[in-house]
Amino acid sequence: LITVFSGTVGLVLKIVFLAIVNALSLWAAIVLSDHHKWKAVVVLVVATLLIDAAYLAKRTLPLKFLIPGTVFLLAFQVIPVVYTVNVAFTNYSTGHILSQSEAIAAIKENSLSETDNGASYTMAPARDSSGALVLILQADSGKTFVGTRDGLKPIPKSDVKVNTDLEITSARGYRILQGAELSALDTELSQYKVPVGSDASIQPQGFDSAVVLKPTLRYDAKRDAFVRLKDGVAYANNGLGAYAASSGDELEPGWKTYTGTRNFGRIVHSKLVRGPFLKVFAWTFFFATAVVFLSFAFGLLLAITLNKPGLRLQRLYRSLLIIPYAVPAFLSLLVWQGLLNDDFGVVNRLFHISVPWLFDPWWARVSVILVSMWLTVPYFFLVSLGALQSIPSELVEAAKVDGGGGWQVFRRVTLPLLLVAVAPLMIASFAFNFNNFGNIYLLTGGGPAMGNSPIAGATDILISYTYKIAFAAGKGQDYGLASAIGIIIFFIVATISAISFARTKALENLA
Amino acid sequence: MKVGRRSAVLLAVVLAAALALVGSRATPAHAGAKAAHLTIWVDNVQKPAIDRITSAWGSRRGVDVNVTFHSFGTIRDDLKTVKAENAPDVIVAAHDWTGDLAANGLVVPLFPKAAIKKQFPKYALSAFSYGGKLYGAPYALENVGLVVNTRLVKVPKTFAQLEREALAFKHKDANNIAIAVPQGSGGDAYHMYPFFSGLGGYVFGHARNGALLPNRIGVANKTFLKNASLIDKWNREGLINSKVDYGTAKNAFLKGNAAFWITGPWETDSLKGAGFPFRIIQMPKIKYRSVPFLGVQGTMVTKYAGTHGVASLAKDLVANEMMKASFQLDLEQANQRFPANMVAGKRVSDPVLKQFGKAGVGGVPMPNIPQMGSVWAELGGAWVKATKGSGATPARAAFTTAARNIAAKIAGG
């Protein structure tokens, strides 16, 4: 195979591949320079030239293998991690997604309120004899006016014609604007104001109506604060991405900004977060450990049983066992939820029992472990089967010749050899189950409630509990807090995995 | 150097191929006079109707309308992350996004004409209001009703009658369910709300301008707690059972194992195909009117309409054109929901839709403030705890705890 790829075929493939890479980056560079992103263009060009150099030169063999790995590492590991860490130090959450200048504009727009009498007008934009934009207005009372940037001027009612749809069709001395001519004036119209005294003004709403609006807040750029016009209450920049009054009352929206270690501080100080943390952590650890070890034990048992030479219908059994692994987990989780229903589920009906599988905290924990096992056993069955078959039979026979009993041979020879291959996979499976959001969320949603805790349910693991804190509490979504907790979970999993891998090394040395 | 020579040849070939692949790049279309351009994010159910009505409006206003399919479930969150140049000017929205989107500063307040506003029930407008301002134009109402299998039981006029009929039916067969209220272990506050409101429960109190107050929680208000012992009674006699989940409830009703089912217009097709006569009513009054939660669908103008220079066009479309009865009827045909415009509502002919519409009269819009996220699980959970059969928590205790937890969650996430 290698000879084929190092020949002409390889050369052609290489050229095609490089041509595609170059073409893509050429295209990207053109798009980027259209948007004046010069830094990105430089990075892109340099990276592309490096790739070309690496694959065209002869002496850079290691690089040819390192480059794809590095690219994927950057794209799927480094960038998300950097982004998460970055978000953890911001207030990115509901009400804090805009920039400050956007937030100021939005607060100004939101502060416009209809006056108490709520006067509204039927409107038609028009040009006067000098060609200036004016508004022909008819009040709800029927009185007609022409509105300009200087103010409101009454015009005789007989001058204005209104059709049955309450649209102004003509006005003497003015040319009513229509169609594309009108939509071309969109921005001008949406900013058009006819002052009517005491800060209030008539402002168009679309093309055929206008209302009297009055701001309730005024922005003071010098103090970087909003002042409520009614009573002079000042909303000052609180440094946390919002304008807040001394009473703590905040204006919406706020903006996204860096808030230092505040999110980590909240984890430590908030009773809501801290309260059930240890309980949830303990359960998460137990859940992941139990699922991995039970699944491994069960999968190994099945593998040994079905590995017996001369077993009839061996293929059938093996295929059947893989089914839970082949069915999408989302599907089987929802099916299990139905099967385990206390009163109407198949499991209880079939065995004529009434176990509160999902409604009792302890039984719910059992259910979660059992169902996760159902999903994990086939994996360990497959892995163990493969590993068993790769153990040289001479070793086992030699052990038997030396007088080892069945259990002794398994314990001293088979298992250690097996673990060399399977232990790293068990660690990976542990890390996966430690963060197995899908199983918990789809089966029990973290429930049932644990005592009277507001957030954590009996089967909540750290990641589902994080989800609840960040997305189902407070004021909507809190990405900053979620990222902060995510980082902490990462360190927990990384520590556990590191310790486990260190132990595995010892295992290898033994073998 | 022989290596260098071969590399040079290769490099030349590669570069030439790259250039050939890029080929003739289409010149970007910023040349020429720009016609006004309006982008709407719409889900696939409403797309045909909105296409039709906006193209007529677009040609009248001289604007290019770009109705883009966007899956309904992702519109709200995608609006928060979309780049300004790809952002929509108008979106189709559920009313309970209002608080979230307004608090984020992504949608702009609307001021429709008084004459048009008059055609809408007050609760449909308040559903799209946040902080006393309107942010959306409602076009469809959606709510649950009590569906009665009239082959099995009579349509109840009072709650006592419903209770009697339902229990009598349940006792006929071990597989029967008295009232099929979709719940399950996580609970479902939406489907149980008629019972909750009938006992005097509410979620948030409101200020004089109609703005909901997240610190005034009515989940365990005095009136409700006084009536809460009725829930314990229903649990004892088996009138309701939180172990009935959505699938169980639906199956039981369609198979004739339940004569009463709490569900909404999204099940219209399965109801029509059920093969037995049925009626949809508002659940009879318990202590108070047993009104359902209302979901209101509508359209909103995003802040990007201003950035794109089409703010007036967007407002004209949303707060004027789309609120008209003709548009609302057109959409009713497309999405099988009762129109929000009352003039259009009178002209609805589909009997199922009409009955669901009637079952929703006086309904309470699901609170649209972002703090509602702290409520759902607790409210549903309290109901589950109180109605899970044997071993249930007394309703009074369950709801008191829920109210305390909601307050804690809202105070500090």
Side-chain angles (χ1 to χ4, degrees):
Chain A
L1 197 73
I2 290 170
T3 45
V4 170
F5 278 101
S6 54
T8 327
V9 180
L11 192 66
V12 170
L13 277 179
K14 187 156 99 176
I15 290 175
V16 168
F17 165 73
L18 282 180
I20 291 173
V21 169
N22 286 353
L24 278 176
S25 42
L26 202 60
W27 168 76
I30 292 167
V31 172
L32 283 172
S33 55
D34 275 352
H35 288 83
H36 307 283
K37 312 243 164 156
W38 302 117
K39 262 191 230 159
V41 173
V42 171
V43 172
L44 187 77
V45 169
V46 170
T48 313
L49 287 180
L50 277 178
I51 290 175
D52 284 341
Y55 282 95
L56 290 176
K58 281 241 156 142
R59 281 188 220 139
T60 51
L61 190 69
L63 262 188
K64 288 177 191 172
F65 290 93
L66 274 176
I67 284 179
T70 315
V71 168
F72 285 125
L73 185 74
L74 278 175
F76 298 118
Q77 295 287 334
V78 177
I79 292 175
V81 167
V82 168
Y83 185 76
T84 307
V85 172
N86 186 30
V87 168
F89 291 95
T90 68
N91 63 350
Y92 190 32
S93 59
T94 297
H96 299 279
I97 67 172
L98 301 177
S99 67
Q100 186 174 5
S101 57
E102 287 175 314
I104 291 172
I107 292 173
K108 281 182 186 163
E109 178 150 15
N110 279 334
S111 98
L112 293 175
S113 295
E114 285 172 288
T115 49
D116 286 338
N117 55 11
S120 70
Y121 296 86
T122 301
M123 174 196 82
R127 298 251 182 229
D128 64 8
S129 48
S130 70
L133 181 66
V134 300
L135 305 178
I136 308 295
L137 298 162
Q138 183 180 39
D140 295 335
S141 62
K143 279 185 189 155
T144 47
F145 306 90
V146 57
T148 64
R149 289 200 168 89
D150 302 323
L152 208 55
K153 190 180 78 186
I155 51 173
K157 207 173 163 182
S158 52
D159 282 3
V160 178
K161 285 215 177 72
V162 179
N163 70 8
T164 49
D165 282 345
L166 297 176
E167 287 164 347
I168 296 170
T169 51
S170 71
R172 193 194 304 264
Y174 298 96
R175 190 168 63 80
I176 304 282
L177 299 171
Q178 259 151 2
E181 204 180 359
L182 197 57
S183 47
L185 289 171
D186 196 294
T187 308
E188 200 179 345
L189 259 180
S190 64
Q191 286 159 7
Y192 203 94
K193 284 177 188 159
V194 180
V196 290
S198 63
D199 284 343
S201 58
I202 299 175
Q203 299 188 18
Q205 299 296 317
F207 298 122
D208 48 19
S209 69
V211 286
V212 181
L213 294 176
K214 200 174 165 173
T216 53
L217 296 162
R218 185 173 50 80
Y219 181 61
D220 186 340
K222 237 184 274 162
R223 288 164 60 196
D224 190 19
F226 275 94
V227 178
R228 189 156 70 192
L229 295 169
K230 182 172 71 178
D231 48 15
V233 170
Y235 291 83
N237 184 341
N238 68 358
L240 298 170
Y243 290 108
S246 50
S247 65
D249 191 19
E250 287 183 10
L251 294 180
E252 285 172 340
W255 60 94
K256 186 181 167 186
T257 184
Y258 286 96
T259 51
T261 54
R262 191 164 174 273
N263 288 323
F264 295 93
R266 279 164 75 198
I267 300 173
V268 180
H269 297 302
S270 156
K271 238 178 96 183
L272 198 67
V273 182
R274 199 187 46 198
F277 189 90
L278 280 180
K279 270 188 199 169
V280 174
F281 174 69
W283 159 245
T284 311
F285 191 83
F286 180 78
F287 165 74
T289 317
V291 170
V292 171
F293 278 99
L294 289 175
S295 304
F296 171 61
F298 208 64
L300 181 60
L301 190 75
L302 288 172
I304 292 172
T305 318
L306 293 181
N307 199 27
K308 202 174 173 179
L311 190 73
R312 289 176 67 198
L313 295 177
Q314 200 176 29
R315 278 175 184 236
L316 180 74
Y317 297 134
R318 283 187 190 173
S319 327
L320 281 179
L321 275 172
I322 296 168
I323 286 180
Y325 193 45
V327 174
F330 296 103
L331 207 69
S332 34
L333 285 167
L334 292 176
V335 169
W336 271 108
Q337 194 190 35
L339 294 178
L340 290 175
N341 190 305
D342 293 13
D343 285 4
F344 309 99
V346 173
V347 175
N348 276 352
R349 292 214 162 179
L350 206 63
F351 299 108
H352 294 287
I353 46 175
S354 56
V355 176
W357 290 109
L358 301 175
F359 282 78
D360 175 79
W362 286 104
W363 279 110
R365 290 180 179 129
V366 173
S367 308
V368 168
I369 291 181
L370 284 179
V371 174
S372 300
M373 271 178 68
W374 156 271
L375 292 166
T376 321
V377 164
Y379 171 73
F380 279 110
F381 165 68
L382 281 179
V383 169
S384 306
L385 197 64
L388 274 180
Q389 283 167 352
S390 71
I391 293 176
S393 52
E394 303 92 75
L395 283 180
V396 178
E397 274 158 31
K400 278 187 183 156
V401 170
D402 284 352
W407 170 248
Q408 217 176 357
V409 171
F410 173 76
R411 176 78 188 74
R412 306 267 165 181
V413 180
T414 318
L415 193 63
L417 286 172
L418 195 75
L419 279 179
V420 173
V422 180
L425 300 175
M426 288 173 73
I427 296 169
S429 177
F430 175 85
F432 173 78
N433 277 299
F434 201 88
N435 283 330
N436 200 337
F437 181 79
N439 280 15
I440 302 293
Y441 193 75
L442 288 176
L443 195 66
T444 61
M450 180 167 65
N452 288 334
S453 162
I455 296 250
T459 56
D460 262 322
I461 56 175
L462 281 174
I463 195 76
S464 65
Y465 157 78
T466 306
Y467 174 84
K468 286 185 178 177
I469 291 171
F471 301 114
K475 218 181 100 183
Q477 298 140 322
D478 197 335
Y479 303 103
L481 185 64
S483 300
I485 305 179
I487 289 173
I488 291 179
I489 295 180
F490 166 75
F491 279 115
I492 294 174
V493 177
T495 311
I496 295 171
S497 302
I499 295 173
S500 314
F501 273 118
R503 292 257 174 109
T504 322
K505 280 250 174 64
L507 206 70
E508 261 170 74
N509 291 341
L510 270 180
Chain B
M1 266 166 70
K2 57 181 182 184
V3 173
R5 198 161 177 193
R6 204 177 147 201
S7 294
V9 173
L10 256 177
L11 190 65
V13 172
V14 165
L15 279 178
L19 279 172
L21 267 175
V22 169
S24 56
R25 186 171 65 97
T27 42
H30 32 226
K34 221 174 21 176
H37 202 82
L38 191 89
T39 305
I40 313 179
W41 277 1
V42 176
D43 62 304
N44 55 350
V45 182
Q46 352 264 348
K47 192 172 181 305
I50 289 188
D51 262 335
R52 207 160 46 235
I53 195 119
T54 50
S55 69
W57 170 85
S59 57
R60 189 152 50 84
R61 290 293 187 208
V63 54
D64 234 359
V65 186
N66 181 8
V67 182
T68 316
F69 163 69
H70 209 98
S71 126
F72 193 74
T74 62
I75 289 178
R76 161 159 70 159
D77 283 333
D78 286 353
L79 187 65
K80 295 174 188 168
T81 49
V82 70
K83 282 228 163 77
E85 57 259 41
N86 304 325
D89 307 302
V90 172
I91 56 166
V92 163
H95 84 268
D96 49 334
W97 305 352
T98 309
D100 182 23
L101 292 180
N104 277 322
L106 294 172
V107 289
V108 301
L110 304 170
F111 302 96
K113 278 186 229 171
I116 285 188
K117 271 205 278 192
K118 248 186 262 161
Q119 299 180 357
F120 289 81
K122 226 176 152 202
Y123 48 76
L125 293 173
S126 67
F128 272 105
S129 300
Y130 181 69
K133 293 214 177 64
L134 183 71
Y135 285 92
Y139 64 72
L141 304 175
E142 173 181 288
N143 54 269
V144 297
L146 179 71
V147 191
V148 185
N149 181 336
T150 50
R151 183 173 288 167
L152 299 174
V153 288
K154 278 198 299 253
V155 177
K157 291 212 170 58
T158 63
F159 191 79
Q161 213 177 335
L162 167 66
E163 199 173 347
R164 214 167 39 238
E165 291 260 13
L167 288 175
F169 177 77
K170 180 187 158 70
H171 292 140
K172 276 189 204 160
D173 189 305
N175 285 326
N176 281 1
I177 295 173
I179 305 178
V181 190
Q183 292 293 311
S185 64
D188 184 338
Y190 180 74
H191 280 94
M192 68 78 167
Y193 194 81
F195 293 94
F196 179 67
S197 67
L199 295 173
Y202 61 91
V203 178
F204 293 119
H206 49 77
R208 250 191 327 166
N209 67 352
L212 291 168
L213 301 171
N215 53 5
R216 211 186 290 161
I217 299 157
V219 167
N221 71 69
K222 272 194 199 128
T223 320
F224 173 75
L225 286 187
K226 219 169 61 202
N227 298 327
S229 59
L230 276 178
I231 301 177
D232 303 328
K233 179 181 157 231
W234 299 333
N235 180 51
R236 273 196 307 275
E237 62 192 18
L239 183 70
I240 39 182
N241 178 348
S242 56
K243 288 172 184 170
V244 178
D245 58 20
Y246 195 93
T248 314
K250 182 175 173 176
N251 274 335
F253 185 80
L254 294 179
K255 281 194 196 144
N257 281 334
F260 300 99
W261 181 25
I262 303 271
T263 196
W266 50 90
E267 291 289 5
T268 301
D269 288 340
S270 39
L271 281 173
K272 283 180 177 167
F276 52 75
F278 61 89
R279 269 286 300 283
I280 303 147
I281 57 168
Q282 187 167 85
M283 198 165 75
K285 173 184 146 183
I286 308 172
K287 292 281 175 183
Y288 301 88
R289 251 179 105 175
S290 314
V291 293
F293 259 149
L294 284 178
V296 188
Q297 279 178 309
T299 46
M300 295 180 173
V301 176
T302 72
K303 82 181 194 86
Y304 299 105
T307 326
H308 299 161
V310 290
S312 300
L313 278 164
K315 283 181 184 169
D316 180 55
L317 177 66
V318 169
N320 185 23
E321 193 71 16
M322 286 184 160
M323 288 178 91
K324 285 179 183 164
S326 54
F327 171 81
Q328 304 237 329
L329 267 176
D330 215 2
L331 262 187
E332 177 255 317
Q333 308 281 330
N335 69 4
Q336 292 193 329
R337 297 291 185 274
F338 198 78
N341 183 310
M342 290 186 288
V343 179
K346 283 196 188 108
R347 280 190 258 156
V348 170
S349 54
D350 183 300
V352 173
L353 209 50
K354 234 155 97 180
Q355 292 177 20
F356 271 119
K358 246 180 149 179
V361 172
V364 179
M366 286 181 273
N368 63 12
I369 53 178
Q371 284 86 350
M372 188 61 191
S374 301
V375 174
W376 286 115
E378 293 297 334
L379 188 56
W383 182 261
V384 167
K385 276 202 239 169
T387 61
K388 66 173 184 180
S390 58
T393 316
R396 198 188 166 88
F399 280 87
T400 308
T401 307
R404 204 176 47 231
N405 287 349
I406 293 167
K409 276 191 190 178
I410 288 175

